[in-house]
C-alpha cells in the first residue's frame, strides 16, 4: 500500500495546487505540516500554472493499492 501526504495550497488566481510527498512519517503532526507549508509559501519556492502559492488550504494522507498483472 503506497501512502502520500498531499499538501493543498491556494494560488494567487484563486485556484488550488497540490504537492505530493511519498511515504510520510506517521502519525502526521498537523502543526508541523502547517509550519512547513507556511515556509514553502514564504520561500516562494514554487510557481504553478495558476501563479504563486499564497496560503495553505489543507493536507491529507492518501493511500493507494496497486495490483500488477503479468500479461502473456
Amino acid at each position: 500500500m503506497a501512502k502520500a501526504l498531499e499538501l493543498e495550497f491556494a494560488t494567487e488566481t484563486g485556484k488550488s495546487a497540490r504537492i505530493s510527498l511519498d511515504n510520510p512519517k506517521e502519525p502526521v503532526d498537523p502543526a508541523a505540516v502547517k509550519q512547513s507549508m507556511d515556509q514553502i509559501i514564504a520561500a516562494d519556492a514554487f510557481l504553478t500554472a495558476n501563479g504563486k502559492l499564497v496560503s495553505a488550504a489543507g493536507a491529507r494522507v492518501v493511500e493507494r493499492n496497486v495490483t500488477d498483472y503479468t500479461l502473456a
Side-chain angles (χ1 to χ4, degrees), residues 3-7 19-24 28 33 59-62:
K3 290 186 180 183
L5 175 63
E6 283 188 357
L7 307 176
I19 298 173
S20 182
L21 306 165
D22 292 334
N23 304 313
V28 173
V33 171
R60 64 185 180 178
V61 173
V62 177

Side-chain angles (χ1 to χ4, degrees), residues 44 62 69:
D44 204 15
V62 177
Y69 294 98

Side-chain angles (χ1 to χ4, degrees), residues 42-63:
D44 204 15
F46 297 96
L47 178 63
T48 72
N50 293 313
K52 295 179 182 181
L53 306 178
V54 294
S55 66
R60 64 185 180 178
V61 173
V62 177
E63 286 188 50

